[in-house]
Amino acid sequence: MFRFCRLLSFDVSRIRALLAVVALAACSNAHAASYVTKHCDDLEGKNVPASIIGLPTRGATIVSAWVVKAAAPGNRNGEYCRVTGFIKALQDSTPDIRFEVNLPSRWNGRALQMGGGGYNGTIVSGTEPMPFAPDSTPLARGYATFGSDSGHVGNAGRADFAGNDEAIVNFGFGHLKKTRDVALALIQMGYGRTPEKTYFAGGSTGGREGFTVIERFPNDYDGVIANAPAINFSGVRLMGVRVGQASYAKPGGFVGVAQQRRVFETVVHECDRLDGAADGIVGNVEACRKLEPQIIASLRCANGQRPSLRDSCLSDAQIDTLQTLRDGVTLPYPLAYGLDSYPGYNVFQGVDFSGTLGLGDSPTLLNPPTFAANGYLFAQGDAYVRHFVTRDPGLGALTFDLDNPGRFRQRLVTLAYTVGAMNPDFSAFIAHGGKLIAMHGLADEVISPNQTIAFYRGLIDRYGKDIVDAFMRLYMVPGFQHGNGVFIPAWDELGALDEWVSNGVAPETLVGSDIAPATNGRTRPICRYPNYPRYLGKGSINSATNFRCVEP
């Protein structure tokens, strides 16, 4: 028999009562926590009605519910009730949204929705550590956690679900609201009350999702963590198309892996010490930018030299490809919110494009392109054109005319609104008292850090620095790429956010511990933008205490 705080049934007619009945709210925290695990398995097979979900669905069904014991093999989260289910799409042809909700026995009164990555397609379990806090999980810290697959099943690198309009809306924003509302209903049932604070945290696509909930559902969240946010989602995909065309549509445009590595090593040689420390990190990116002309000159083949993809100078066509990466994309027409551009990358300021998410290792274009052979940016951009834009899997992006897309122009605009997060109106989130911590690596090779900076500057232009400082912190991390790099920071973002939201203590300079294998354990200040960490000139360069955050 199913019981939560003495209720004897769990059917559609009683769900509404569960959300409002005073008897639930009267349960003590300890009493409710005992019920959440004692009667966890009774949830299986029950339904959550569409009426309590803020966007149109056909309701949710709980597929499984069981207690994960603290001593279970591999469990690092303590005892919790694990609930899985699906939210039924409106159309039979649309995949359902699969979700997971975790209700810890020792609840701290907070809920955390965790974002996905790439094109999603796999359930975010909510049982893993935060990306930059590997030593503990939010669930182990008492957070009720939840996530979803965003409304389709598949590899995070595949875009073939986009033939379905409802699936695109779910991926863009719908799954966030739908999953959140179902999860909070389950939390209410389990503990007898809604969370005191509800947070969102994610990176890359999850970072875009963080900005999305601020812009679309500002009253649902008290705080957001958004790392490397792919906010201009259409822009980065069109950037990939432009780079692929420079690499493969022009003779000799492809830049080999060894050549790209040489670019990185040349930049480090010229710019490493501009932050006062020879540590392999290009810390003072703006000072390095001033050296760009001489860096390019040293890389360009002299008269009579012939480039080799294995190890050599770079031809004019190859330099043009890198400058395309640097310059970004500017369109002769606006997309969402009047935006007509995507800023380029810090190609000549410390980005290493020779890795697994780089420019690829083959001068031969595959059909369709692959990450390994033809580069992450182009492979993703090509998939976007095939599946999202033209919906013609046989139409590759090599000949797609970005400047004159013809009948696809309005499609590009519509998609930019649906799957992007570039709405600069944060007024409702500000009025709600919400807080945002955003972090981005200055050496990111997948999502341009300059787009995040541009959006931040736009908020300051719109609201003024004092208002932005009251709700947002932006941290730009030198040497950090898209989950990799010569410096990979470990730091407690969630703790910083909760302290700000709950106690009003706004984060300032933080400290990151490097988890890159070669330099594991060294520390650096994590500086608020636009500052960067500069070595003071004495003491160990592996200790953050010997650095100060200064303006470029």
Side-chain angles (χ1 to χ4, degrees):
M1 181 181 298
F2 170 70
R3 295 179 298 161
F4 268 92
C5 295
R6 306 300 183 186
L7 290 177
L8 299 179
S9 66
F10 185 76
D11 54 25
V12 171
S13 65
R14 304 204 65 167
I15 283 268
R16 295 185 182 91
L18 280 168
L19 298 178
V21 69
V22 175
L24 273 176
C27 295
S28 70
N29 290 345
H31 188 55
S34 69
Y35 269 89
V36 81
T37 52
K38 187 175 181 181
H39 301 287
C40 174
D41 56 352
D42 293 322
L43 279 167
E44 188 169 313
K46 303 306 186 294
N47 297 310
V48 177
S51 59
I52 66 168
I53 302 172
L55 292 177
T57 73
R58 287 188 283 173
T61 296
I62 299 171
V63 174
S64 65
W66 73 93
V67 174
V68 179
K69 296 294 185 181
N75 180 27
R76 58 186 299 182
N77 295 303
E79 185 179 82
Y80 64 98
C81 173
R82 182 177 184 230
V83 183
T84 69
F86 62 87
I87 303 169
K88 191 67 178 174
L90 294 176
Q91 304 296 323
D92 289 337
S93 58
T94 303
D96 298 327
I97 299 169
R98 299 178 302 154
F99 66 85
E100 180 170 328
V101 178
N102 305 292
L103 306 175
S105 293
R106 297 183 177 181
W107 186 40
N108 65 7
R110 289 152 173 74
L112 175 66
Q113 184 172 6
M114 302 177 78
Y119 282 115
N120 292 331
T122 57
I123 299 175
V124 176
S125 72
T127 60
E128 299 300 318
M130 297 276 286
F132 308 108
D135 293 334
S136 67
T137 69
L139 183 54
R141 295 165 67 171
Y143 287 84
T145 64
F146 56 97
S148 82
D149 66 356
S150 84
H152 63 273
V153 178
N155 185 286
R158 294 180 58 180
D160 53 5
F161 68 91
N164 182 293
D165 286 335
E166 189 179 0
I168 289 181
V169 170
N170 279 336
F171 169 73
F173 61 88
H175 82 99
L176 298 166
K177 175 64 172 173
K178 296 170 186 178
T179 303
R180 180 261 181 200
D181 287 356
V182 170
L184 260 65
L186 292 172
I187 291 170
Q188 170 83 49
M189 297 167 204
Y191 300 113
R193 61 186 178 93
T194 56
E196 298 166 12
K197 307 294 181 185
T198 301
Y199 301 140
F200 186 96
S204 194
T205 286
R208 170 185 65 81
E209 291 170 342
F211 274 75
T212 297
V213 300
I214 288 173
E215 296 163 17
R216 292 183 180 269
F217 316 113
N219 294 317
D220 285 351
Y221 299 87
D222 301 291
V224 169
I225 293 169
N227 297 322
I231 48 178
N232 190 352
F233 194 85
S234 291
V236 71
R237 293 297 177 252
L238 300 184
M239 177 79 243
V241 172
R242 187 78 89 195
V243 171
Q245 291 174 347
S247 296
Y248 294 102
K250 297 179 181 179
F254 176 75
V255 182
V257 173
Q259 291 175 304
Q260 188 48 238
R261 187 67 187 175
R262 181 182 173 185
V263 174
F264 172 70
E265 290 171 351
T266 300
V267 170
V268 173
H269 180 268
E270 295 294 328
C271 297
D272 186 4
R273 291 177 172 82
L274 295 176
D275 60 2
D279 55 2
I281 301 172
V282 178
N284 192 346
V285 168
E286 295 309 312
C288 184
R289 210 179 298 281
K290 296 177 182 178
L291 302 181
E292 187 173 299
Q294 69 190 54
I295 291 172
I296 293 175
S298 71
L299 293 167
R300 193 185 301 271
C301 292
N303 292 335
Q305 278 186 289
R306 299 186 64 181
S308 163
L309 294 180
R310 293 189 175 182
D311 185 19
S312 77
C313 58
L314 278 72
S315 68
D316 288 347
Q318 291 171 324
I319 293 290
D320 286 347
T321 297
L322 296 182
Q323 290 178 328
T324 297
L325 261 174
R326 176 201 65 191
D327 294 340
V329 173
T330 299
L331 302 171
Y333 53 90
L335 296 177
Y337 305 103
L339 193 73
D340 62 0
S341 63
Y342 186 80
Y345 296 75
N346 295 328
V347 180
F348 303 107
Q349 291 80 42
V351 184
D352 185 0
F353 281 98
S354 68
T356 56
L357 298 178
L359 295 179
D361 62 11
S362 176
T364 301
L365 178 61
L366 303 182
N367 186 21
T370 67
F371 297 168
N374 309 122
Y376 182 87
L377 286 175
F378 183 44
Q380 290 284 37
D382 180 85
Y384 188 72
V385 168
R386 292 176 192 251
H387 299 291
F388 276 78
V389 181
T390 68
R391 286 179 164 169
D392 182 352
L395 182 60
L398 194 64
T399 58
F400 187 81
D401 191 340
L402 291 180
D403 293 333
N404 300 286
R407 61 190 177 93
F408 298 116
R409 176 171 167 176
Q410 184 55 49
R411 178 72 178 160
L412 289 170
V413 174
T414 299
L415 286 169
Y417 278 105
T418 304
V419 300
M422 292 298 292
N423 185 353
D425 185 0
F426 275 37
S427 55
F429 188 68
I430 295 170
H432 177 64
K435 308 300 182 187
L436 166 64
I437 295 178
M439 184 274 281
H440 208 144
L442 285 164
D444 196 321
E445 75 276 41
V446 172
I447 306 299
S448 174
N450 298 311
Q451 177 64 90
T452 301
I453 291 171
F455 191 91
Y456 172 75
R457 288 175 173 170
L459 290 175
I460 290 178
D461 290 343
R462 185 183 183 99
Y463 295 107
K465 190 173 186 303
D466 289 344
I467 291 178
V468 173
D469 283 349
F471 79 86
M472 181 178 183
R473 290 290 183 268
L474 175 60
Y475 297 92
M476 305 301 297
V477 183
F480 182 48
Q481 296 193 204
H482 203 74
N484 208 330
V486 294
F487 180 76
I488 307 174
W491 57 312
D492 186 10
E493 281 185 287
L494 183 57
L497 180 68
D498 186 52
E499 184 71 5
W500 192 7
V501 171
S502 299
N503 300 317
V505 181
E508 296 295 336
T509 299
L510 302 172
V511 174
S513 179
D514 194 359
I515 56 175
T519 47
N520 189 280
R522 68 176 172 177
T523 57
R524 288 287 183 276
I526 304 295
C527 303
R528 289 182 59 191
Y529 178 81
N531 294 340
Y532 75 94
R534 182 171 183 82
Y535 180 53
L536 297 176
K538 58 182 179 180
S540 172
I541 62 170
N542 293 322
S543 175
T545 59
N546 298 318
F547 288 76
R548 290 291 181 272
C549 292
V550 299
E551 293 186 10

